[in-house]
């Protein structure tokens, strides 16, 4: 599964990072606990041609962070930009430049795969001619031939996932944000997904994805950001993280970082 | 996506609390399933709001709105000024002017009698004039160039009667007509009284005899009678509404939440599970019906109370009669629940379930409307038709009629049709394709399979 | 590819197309919502016709048996009465025992003659019923007894006894009373000829000539049922669409994918709204078409619509004038169902929405209610009245314009709300739900209690007041409001937090919660100075309101104030009407409820809600505006004073001035001589206003966040 990026190598000046976030804070209110800080001061920087993994347990604030980057949620504090476009100030501009896919994004059950792709292409304002070409291309690449004209509700999970990915890249975005993309997928579908993510790197685009599956992060990521309780605990390549913590396996690296953070915050409060 | 975890947890607990290797059988199994379903429903905020809070809050607000709306409309109607042209024989017009118009002018009637419109026009001209100036009717309130009604008084020499020209499709004109008729009625009485007084005659001399009607019905029965005109239909509505959501929730909703499979794995027979579900649905429907009835009664009594002594009638609420009809209502709730649960069992999601039950509701509501038609009376023949029989039976019970055989027939017919619905439902649910979560089938498919017979029953212990 | 800027219009078209496509492809729902009802019409009408026939025939042709005792009927009357009664056939006449019948009759007339010595009416009625049941056995459902009148032996009095709850009995009563009425009419006319030489009022016998055309009349008939029918049809079609388009998308998870596309929420909202509207109209047209077909084919009974002769299609097309109302209904559906996270949740909302739209439409059941500009602007009432007038050919351009403009404004408002709802922040359910709940934690407490208080006061309070005429006000107020206020304030402990913008001790205190604090004296003084101006202003306001929202006459007469004035002394009146409400109402509305509301809502919203509760508690649409004005002012006073007592003082003084005016101890200020005092009043009010609203030194008000508190 190779996404066709023949049209344009991401026209991005090297001096501008693909994703940049500084001091992101998001505060929610909870009926029992009052104000809850889902994200408290998170920094992030991803370059073009890089796969960045956001690693953290459930409830670490990964989804919230990604949603803020996608311009769906407005940060309580801090600043996020995609390809130099401020997410809070110009969410439309940001959404034009990103593809977003999460475990909970569904497909319209009563549309066909082709119609779905056409629909999202139209929403991105792609003209009719180029759009049809692009759809054929995507059908080709993601091997949707067999079921491209059947309703989405009749598809298997893996087929749905392929349509969903194609849907997210129909406008060939510079930045792809994936929220736990392999959750709930079978082995075949998950490996398709991983192939796809790798293919993006080679064409100089940026992929940011969150996961709590360690093997995925080990295999794919150029750099990994470990987050817990809404804070970045460490950022770096796998080697750097290993060196920092002195642990061999990513799982142990992760545990070590979390324990450290807990020790630091314990005396403070 | 919001899931309702309560369902799964609650079931878990039941399983845990029944550690005996022998699975519960018969009534005990039905009871356990029903209790579990009830607990789940009553822990669900939406179900509670719909079947408990809504009846309590809705009726006072509803009745308040209706009363206030009525007051606004009434005030507005009273305040509307209408103009009536007085035309015809000059001596008659002068008579009316002299005798009655003075008191009209500054009364609170908002009715203006004017004599300056086409005083000498004949009938045809009047008709033409009244209809002609429609073009200027865009003005607010009343247009000065056209009266709202015309009262034409006949020549004394002729024996014609007075004519009142109105245009019944114009509110102003209709209102003018109503008020003028009332005024003319007063004038008539006034004239006759004066003439009688002149001859020294009393009221009764001109009245050949008296006819008076007296009701011997007790006030409670009068109230019961008034209620019997619409309450039986309301009861059907309430029961159907009350059973609707629980029915969908315990079948299609269960599939949607993914707990249907858990139910299939229980060491219980399909009938028992289904009966349990129907029982819990009918309990909820019954509760909702009773609460609705109670609070509608309270709100209605309160409404009459706030109007105070201005209400010309007094109605007692027939609690006893309602109490007598409770068993029948409970039976009906069970019947409704059985049918609705059976139907909802064919669908896989809440949405489909409600799309399916929407029209099914009509099958109950339309006969209920038929059942309150005046003149119908519960007989053994009527008692054979479900829904209509309940409406007629409750009607009869409310006015305390004692019809043992039709009542019994009604009850039996309800039981029989409920049993039929349960059987059908069990048969349907035993089809493999329907039993498992996430599947539903088209009606065509369904009938085909039913014709084929039992197909492959699943999960029969 | 990413560079091309998507255009809102294209996006709109794309979304609309896809939404409609989805709706059309949902065959089963489509069938249930649209096709099935259309197919049902002919059956419905045919069935109704049939049953109606059965029900009519069964009563009219039923042979009734009537018991009678004519033994006391004067001889010359026998023949004519029997002749007249023949009109009531088929009737079987059964004579009854004269003695017993006379007892029944005497029993009734004696209660009439001496009402003081009469026994308890319920008991008397029971006795009468027993007598009746002795006389009349099962099939004989009616009793006619004649007896000689006290006024003259030749003038019979005929009493008809019947049992309301029995169909046969009512039918027999109406037939016999009708026959006798005809006879009475004829005889009266004969008497007039004989004694007065003719009827002096004969020329006033009215013949009503309706000059409306047949088409207009048919239109009027249709207009009586169409507005309500439209509401139901639009909801049945639109609700299914709105559920699919909003809750369905949430459930399927597609809402999230849409929200990350470069679409403005407004475009999205508008496109979805349009899809719902199209679905609603499709349902409507299909249903109306089926209805028209049934009418045209003559399948309808006389009961449905009451005849639709001569109704041309042009007039039916005119029914499109209802469009603004229909658009608003769709907007309302979208707004309500857009909040729903699941189908299930949305489904529950349908019933209240139906009531909300159908009740205001029910005005069309009053054909003689003239429309006006104010009514035209009321949601659903306006379109219903305009539709009624269009159908009967009596619509006024002004009303149509007012209705259209006002309803389009309403629609714009719903669309704005809808757009706001689809902002990512709010649309993603899990977070928004938590936020909404928490933000309103204390506010919800306030609202719940406010609502409960209003309901309790309305249901319980008014019942007490109806039972105990004079002192009921005091009982209900003292009995209900202070305990409710205390409870509400005490329960607020759990969600307690300092009010925003006010520095206070960081602990819960019941007195402070109820507003029992020293506060600022200048506000209290200012409040007192405002009272005369308020009293005068309210009089003018009430006059103005009466012209806009007139009170029906029977309500004006039943004020009950006169009886109170005659029974109570001035001091008692002051206690009852001024002191009691001042303390009780203030404690509850400005004390407990307002305190809670202020915590979760902005000050403006809190003020508005407590005003609303206060106004609603007064239970009448004619008092809503005056009490709302009063409530708003009292709320402002409490806010400025940081204490309750100035509001109590103002409330007391204001009510007292009204009581004193009613007793005549204070001159009413509505006369022309009062104009001389206006200037002084204005000065007083100005000083009072200044005292109340003079900006105070800020008391080091720092915004407190809960997180800062809780982490400390």
């Amino acid at each position: 599964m190779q996404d066709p990026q023949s049209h344009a190598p991401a026209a991005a000046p090297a001096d501008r990072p693909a994703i940049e976030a500084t001091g992101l804070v998001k505060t929610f209110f909870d009926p029992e606990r009052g104000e809850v800080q889902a994200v408290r001061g998170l920094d992030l920087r991803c370059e073009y041609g890089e796969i960045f993994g956001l690693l953290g347990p459930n409830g670490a604030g990964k989804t919230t962070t990604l949603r803020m980057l996608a311009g769906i949620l407005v940060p309580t504090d801090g600043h996020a930009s995609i390809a130099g476009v401020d997410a809070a100030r110009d969410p439309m501009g940001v959404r034009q430049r990103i593809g977003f896919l999460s475990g909970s994004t569904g497909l319209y059950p009563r549309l066909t795969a082709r119609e779905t792709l056409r629909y999202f292409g139209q929403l991105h304002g792609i003209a009719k001619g180029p759009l049809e070409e692009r759809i054929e291309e995507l059908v080709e690449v993601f091997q949707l031939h067999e079921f491209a004209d059947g309703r989405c509700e009749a598809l298997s999970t893996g087929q749905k996932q392929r349509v969903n990915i194609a849907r997210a890249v129909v406008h060939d975005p510079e930045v792809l944000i994936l929220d736990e993309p392999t959750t709930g997928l079978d082995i075949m579908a998950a490996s398709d997904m991983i192939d796809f993510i790798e293919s993006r790197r080679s064409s100089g685009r940026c992929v940011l994805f969150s996961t709590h599956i360690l093997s995925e992060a080990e295999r794919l990521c150029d750099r990994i950001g470990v987050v817990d309780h809404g804070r970045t605990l460490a950022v770096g390549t796998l080697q750097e993280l290993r060196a920092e913590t002195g642990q061999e396996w990513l799982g142990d690296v992760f545990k070590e970082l979390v324990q450290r953070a807990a020790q630091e915050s314990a005396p403070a409060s | 996506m919001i899931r309702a975890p309560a369902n799964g947890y609650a079931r878990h607990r039941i399983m845990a609390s029944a550690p005996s290797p022998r699975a519960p059988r018969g009534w005990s199994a039905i009871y356990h399933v029903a209790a579990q379903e009830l607990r789940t429903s009553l822990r669900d905020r939406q179900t509670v709001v719909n079947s408990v809070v809504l009846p309590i809050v809705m009726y006072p607000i509803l009745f308040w709105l209706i009363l206030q709306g009525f007051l606004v409309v009434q005030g507005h109607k009273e305040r509307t000024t209408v103009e009536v042209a007085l035309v015809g024989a000059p001596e008659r017009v002068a008579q009316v002017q002299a005798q009655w118009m003075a008191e009209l002018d500054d009364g609170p009637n908002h009715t203006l009698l004017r004599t300056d419109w086409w005083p000498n026009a004949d009938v045809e001209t009047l008709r033409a004039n009244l209809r002609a100036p429609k073009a200027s009717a865009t003005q607010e309130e009343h247009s000065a160039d056209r009266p709202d009604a015309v009262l034409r008084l006949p020549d004394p020499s002729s024996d014609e009667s007075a004519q009142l020209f109105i245009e019944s499709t114009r509110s102003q004109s209709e209102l003018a007509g109503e008020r003028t008729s009332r005024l003319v009625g007063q004038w008539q009485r006034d004239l006759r009284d004066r003439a009688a007084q002149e001859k020294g005659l009393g009221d009764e001399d001109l009245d050949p005899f008296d006819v008076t009607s007296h009701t011997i019905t007790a006030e409670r029965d009068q109230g019961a009678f008034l209620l019997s005109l619409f309450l039986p239909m309301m009861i059907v509505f309430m029961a159907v509404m009350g059973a609707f959501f629980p029915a969908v929730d315990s079948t299609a909703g269960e599939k949607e939440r993914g707990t249907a499979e858990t139910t299939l794995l229980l060491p219980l027979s399909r009938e028992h599970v289904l009966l349990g579900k129907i029982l819990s649905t009918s309990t909820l429907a019954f509760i909702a019906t009773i609460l609705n009835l109670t609070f509608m009664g309270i709100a209605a009594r309160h409404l009459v109370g706030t109007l105070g002594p201005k209400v010309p009638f007094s109605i007692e609420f027939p609690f006893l009669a309602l109490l007598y009809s409770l068993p029948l209502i409970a039976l009906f709730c069970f019947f409704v629940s059985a049918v609705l649960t059976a139907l909802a069992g064919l669908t896989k999601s809440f949405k489909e379930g409600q799309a399916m039950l929407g029209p099914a509701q009509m099958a109950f509501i339309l006969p209920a409307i038929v059942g309150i038609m005046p003149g119908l009376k519960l007989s053994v023949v009527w008692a054979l038709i479900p829904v209509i029989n309940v409406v007629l039976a409750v009607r009869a019970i409310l006015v305390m009629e004692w019809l043992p055989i039709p009542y019994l027939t009604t009850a039996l017919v309800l039981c029989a049709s409920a049993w039929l619905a349960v059987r059908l439902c069990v048969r349907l649910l035993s089809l493999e394709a329907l039993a498992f979560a996430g599947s539903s089938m088209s009606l065509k498919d369904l009938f085909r399979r039913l014709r084929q017979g039992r197909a492959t029953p699943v999960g029969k212990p | 590819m990413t560079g091309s800027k998507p255009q809102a219009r294209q996006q709109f078209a794309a979304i609309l197309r896809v939404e409609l496509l989805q709706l059309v492809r949902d065959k089963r729902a489509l069938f249930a919502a649209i096709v099935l009802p259309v197919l049902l019409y002919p059956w419905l009408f045919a069935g109704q016709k049939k049953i109606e026939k059965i029900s009519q025939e069964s009563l009219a042709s039923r042979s009734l048996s009537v018991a009678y005792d004519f033994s006391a009927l004067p001889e010359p009357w026998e023949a004519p009465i029997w002749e007249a009664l023949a009109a009531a056939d088929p009737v079987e006449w059964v004579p009854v025992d004269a003695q017993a019948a006379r007892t029944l009759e005497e029993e009734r007339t004696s209660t009439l003659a001496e009402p003081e010595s009469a026994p308890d009416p319920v008991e008397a009625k029971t006795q009468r019923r027993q007598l009746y049941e002795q006389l009349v056995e099962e099939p004989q459902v009616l009793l006619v007894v004649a007896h000689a009148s006290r006024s003259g032996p030749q003038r019979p009095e005929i009493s008809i006894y019947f049992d309301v709850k029995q169909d046969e009995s009512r039918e027999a009563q109406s037939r016999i009373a009708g026959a006798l009425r005809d006879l009475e009419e004829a005889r009266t006319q004969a008497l007039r000829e004989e004694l007065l030489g003719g009827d002096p009022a004969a020329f006033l016998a009215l013949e009503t000539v309706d000059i409306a055309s047949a088409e207009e009349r048919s239109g009027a008939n249709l207009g009586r049922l169409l507005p309500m029918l439209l509401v139901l049809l639009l909801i049945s079609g639109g609700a299914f669409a709105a559920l699919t388009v909003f809750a369905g998308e949430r459930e399927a998870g597609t809402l999230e994918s849409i929200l990350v596309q470069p679409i403005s929420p407004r475009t999205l909202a508008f496109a979805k709204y349009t899809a719902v509207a199209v679905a609603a109209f499709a349902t409507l047209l299909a249903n109306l078409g089926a209805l028209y077909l049934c009418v045209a084919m003559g399948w309808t009974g006389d009961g449905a619509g009451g005849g639709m002769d001569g109704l041309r299609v042009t007039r039916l097309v005119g029914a499109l004038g209802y469009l603004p109302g229909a658009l608003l209904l769709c907007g309302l559906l979208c707004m309500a169902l857009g909040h729903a996270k699941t189908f299930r949740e949305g489904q529950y909302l349908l019933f209240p929405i139906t009531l909300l739209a159908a009740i205001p439409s029910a005005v069309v059941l009053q054909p003689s209610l003239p429309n006006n500009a104010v009514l035209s602007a009321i949601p659903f009432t306006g379109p219903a009245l305009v539709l009624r007038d269009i159908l009967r050919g009596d619509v006024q351009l002004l009303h149509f314009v007012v209705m259209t403009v006002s309803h389009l404004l309403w629609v714009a408002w719903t669309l704005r709300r809808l757009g706001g709802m689809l902002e990512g922040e709010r649309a993603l359910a899990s977070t928004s739900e938590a936020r909404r709940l928490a933000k309103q934690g204390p506010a919800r407490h306030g609202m719940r209690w406010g609502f409960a208080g209003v309901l309790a006061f309305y249901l319980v309070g008014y019942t007490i007041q109806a039972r105990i005429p004079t002192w009921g006000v005091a009982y209900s107020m003292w009995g209900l409001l202070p305990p409710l206020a205390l409870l509400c304030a005490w329960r607020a402990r759990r969600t307690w937090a300092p009010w925003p913008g006010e520095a206070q001790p960081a602990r819960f205190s019941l007195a402070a919660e109820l507003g029992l604090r020293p506060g600022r004296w200048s506000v209290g003084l200012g409040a007192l100075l405002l009272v005369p101006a308020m009293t005068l202003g309210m009089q003018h306001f009430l006059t103005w309101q009466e012209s806009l929202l007139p009170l029906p006459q029977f309500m004006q007469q039943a004020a009950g104030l006169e009886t109170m004035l005659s029974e109570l002394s001035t001091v008692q009146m002051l206690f009852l009407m001024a002191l009691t409400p001042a303390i009780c109402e203030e404690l509850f509305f400005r004390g407990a409820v307002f305190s809670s509301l202020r915590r979760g809502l902005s000050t403006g919203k809190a003020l508005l809600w407590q005003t609303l509760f206060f106004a609603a508690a007064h239970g009448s649409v004619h008092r809503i505006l005056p009490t709302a004005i009063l409530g708003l002012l009292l709320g402002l006073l409490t806010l400025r004073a940081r204490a309750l007592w100035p509001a109590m003082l103002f409330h007391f003084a204001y009510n007292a001035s009204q009581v004193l005016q009613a007793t005549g101890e204070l001159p009413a200020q509505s006369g022309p001589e009062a104009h001389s005092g206006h200037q002084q009043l204005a000065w007083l009010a100005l000083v009072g206003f200044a005292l109340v609203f003079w900006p105070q030194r800020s008391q080091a008000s720092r915004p407190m966040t809960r997180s800062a508190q809780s982490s400390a």
Side-chain angles (χ1 to χ4, degrees), chain C residues 505-516:
Chain C
R507 268 188 49 221
F508 173 79
S509 129
L510 192 63
E513 185 71 15
L514 287 172
L516 305 175

PDB file of all heavy atoms in Angstrom, chain C residues 505-516:
ATOM      1  N   PRO C 505     -15.117  35.061  52.631  1.00  0.00           N
ATOM      2  CA  PRO C 505     -14.511  33.982  53.382  1.00  0.00           C
ATOM      3  C   PRO C 505     -14.679  32.682  52.613  1.00  0.00           C
ATOM      4  O   PRO C 505     -15.720  32.447  52.013  1.00  0.00           O
ATOM      5  CB  PRO C 505     -15.313  33.942  54.683  1.00  0.00           C
ATOM      6  CG  PRO C 505     -16.557  34.703  54.399  1.00  0.00           C
ATOM      7  CD  PRO C 505     -16.166  35.727  53.381  1.00  0.00           C
ATOM      8  N   ALA C 506     -13.641  31.882  52.632  1.00  0.00           N
ATOM      9  CA  ALA C 506     -13.663  30.681  51.803  1.00  0.00           C
ATOM     10  C   ALA C 506     -14.408  29.538  52.483  1.00  0.00           C
ATOM     11  O   ALA C 506     -13.991  28.401  52.408  1.00  0.00           O
ATOM     12  CB  ALA C 506     -12.229  30.260  51.482  1.00  0.00           C
ATOM     13  N   ARG C 507     -15.484  29.857  53.168  1.00  0.00           N
ATOM     14  CA  ARG C 507     -16.242  28.781  53.786  1.00  0.00           C
ATOM     15  C   ARG C 507     -17.725  28.968  53.553  1.00  0.00           C
ATOM     16  O   ARG C 507     -18.222  30.090  53.406  1.00  0.00           O
ATOM     17  CB  ARG C 507     -15.966  28.732  55.293  1.00  0.00           C
ATOM     18  CG  ARG C 507     -14.818  27.803  55.651  1.00  0.00           C
ATOM     19  CD  ARG C 507     -14.718  27.638  57.154  1.00  0.00           C
ATOM     20  NE  ARG C 507     -15.985  27.317  57.774  1.00  0.00           N
ATOM     21  CZ  ARG C 507     -16.383  27.841  58.927  1.00  0.00           C
ATOM     22  NH1 ARG C 507     -15.630  28.708  59.555  1.00  0.00           N
ATOM     23  NH2 ARG C 507     -17.529  27.489  59.453  1.00  0.00           N
ATOM     24  N   PHE C 508     -18.420  27.884  53.551  1.00  0.00           N
ATOM     25  CA  PHE C 508     -19.855  27.949  53.324  1.00  0.00           C
ATOM     26  C   PHE C 508     -20.554  28.486  54.560  1.00  0.00           C
ATOM     27  O   PHE C 508     -20.246  28.095  55.686  1.00  0.00           O
ATOM     28  CB  PHE C 508     -20.379  26.544  53.010  1.00  0.00           C
ATOM     29  CG  PHE C 508     -21.869  26.476  52.918  1.00  0.00           C
ATOM     30  CD1 PHE C 508     -22.505  26.913  51.776  1.00  0.00           C
ATOM     31  CD2 PHE C 508     -22.618  25.995  53.973  1.00  0.00           C
ATOM     32  CE1 PHE C 508     -23.872  26.854  51.681  1.00  0.00           C
ATOM     33  CE2 PHE C 508     -23.992  25.948  53.883  1.00  0.00           C
ATOM     34  CZ  PHE C 508     -24.623  26.374  52.739  1.00  0.00           C
ATOM     35  N   SER C 509     -21.472  29.411  54.323  1.00  0.00           N
ATOM     36  CA  SER C 509     -22.251  29.901  55.453  1.00  0.00           C
ATOM     37  C   SER C 509     -23.693  30.028  55.009  1.00  0.00           C
ATOM     38  O   SER C 509     -23.985  30.606  53.953  1.00  0.00           O
ATOM     39  CB  SER C 509     -21.703  31.251  55.928  1.00  0.00           C
ATOM     40  OG  SER C 509     -22.741  32.190  56.025  1.00  0.00           O
ATOM     41  N   LEU C 510     -24.583  29.465  55.779  1.00  0.00           N
ATOM     42  CA  LEU C 510     -25.986  29.412  55.378  1.00  0.00           C
ATOM     43  C   LEU C 510     -26.557  30.825  55.258  1.00  0.00           C
ATOM     44  O   LEU C 510     -27.290  31.136  54.314  1.00  0.00           O
ATOM     45  CB  LEU C 510     -26.773  28.598  56.409  1.00  0.00           C
ATOM     46  CG  LEU C 510     -28.173  28.213  55.987  1.00  0.00           C
ATOM     47  CD1 LEU C 510     -28.137  27.302  54.784  1.00  0.00           C
ATOM     48  CD2 LEU C 510     -28.909  27.541  57.130  1.00  0.00           C
ATOM     49  N   ALA C 511     -26.182  31.683  56.200  1.00  0.00           N
ATOM     50  CA  ALA C 511     -26.718  33.041  56.182  1.00  0.00           C
ATOM     51  C   ALA C 511     -26.262  33.774  54.931  1.00  0.00           C
ATOM     52  O   ALA C 511     -27.043  34.448  54.255  1.00  0.00           O
ATOM     53  CB  ALA C 511     -26.269  33.784  57.440  1.00  0.00           C
ATOM     54  N   ALA C 512     -24.987  33.632  54.610  1.00  0.00           N
ATOM     55  CA  ALA C 512     -24.470  34.317  53.435  1.00  0.00           C
ATOM     56  C   ALA C 512     -25.128  33.777  52.181  1.00  0.00           C
ATOM     57  O   ALA C 512     -25.432  34.518  51.249  1.00  0.00           O
ATOM     58  CB  ALA C 512     -22.955  34.136  53.353  1.00  0.00           C
ATOM     59  N   GLU C 513     -25.377  32.462  52.172  1.00  0.00           N
ATOM     60  CA  GLU C 513     -26.012  31.837  51.027  1.00  0.00           C
ATOM     61  C   GLU C 513     -27.403  32.416  50.815  1.00  0.00           C
ATOM     62  O   GLU C 513     -27.845  32.613  49.692  1.00  0.00           O
ATOM     63  CB  GLU C 513     -26.081  30.321  51.275  1.00  0.00           C
ATOM     64  CG  GLU C 513     -26.604  29.508  50.125  1.00  0.00           C
ATOM     65  CD  GLU C 513     -25.634  29.443  48.960  1.00  0.00           C
ATOM     66  OE1 GLU C 513     -24.455  29.778  49.146  1.00  0.00           O
ATOM     67  OE2 GLU C 513     -26.085  29.063  47.858  1.00  0.00           O
ATOM     68  N   LEU C 514     -28.087  32.701  51.917  1.00  0.00           N
ATOM     69  CA  LEU C 514     -29.430  33.264  51.812  1.00  0.00           C
ATOM     70  C   LEU C 514     -29.400  34.781  51.662  1.00  0.00           C
ATOM     71  O   LEU C 514     -30.444  35.418  51.566  1.00  0.00           O
ATOM     72  CB  LEU C 514     -30.250  32.888  53.047  1.00  0.00           C
ATOM     73  CG  LEU C 514     -30.696  31.431  53.109  1.00  0.00           C
ATOM     74  CD1 LEU C 514     -31.316  31.120  54.452  1.00  0.00           C
ATOM     75  CD2 LEU C 514     -31.691  31.138  52.004  1.00  0.00           C
ATOM     76  N   GLY C 515     -28.204  35.351  51.660  1.00  0.00           N
ATOM     77  CA  GLY C 515     -28.102  36.798  51.487  1.00  0.00           C
ATOM     78  C   GLY C 515     -28.328  37.584  52.756  1.00  0.00           C
ATOM     79  O   GLY C 515     -28.563  38.785  52.703  1.00  0.00           O
ATOM     80  N   LEU C 516     -28.283  36.900  53.907  1.00  0.00           N
ATOM     81  CA  LEU C 516     -28.514  37.603  55.174  1.00  0.00           C
ATOM     82  C   LEU C 516     -27.192  38.169  55.675  1.00  0.00           C
ATOM     83  O   LEU C 516     -26.525  37.599  56.523  1.00  0.00           O
ATOM     84  CB  LEU C 516     -29.132  36.654  56.197  1.00  0.00           C
ATOM     85  CG  LEU C 516     -30.414  35.979  55.706  1.00  0.00           C
ATOM     86  CD1 LEU C 516     -30.909  34.961  56.696  1.00  0.00           C
ATOM     87  CD2 LEU C 516     -31.481  37.032  55.434  1.00  0.00           C
TER      88      LEU C 516
END
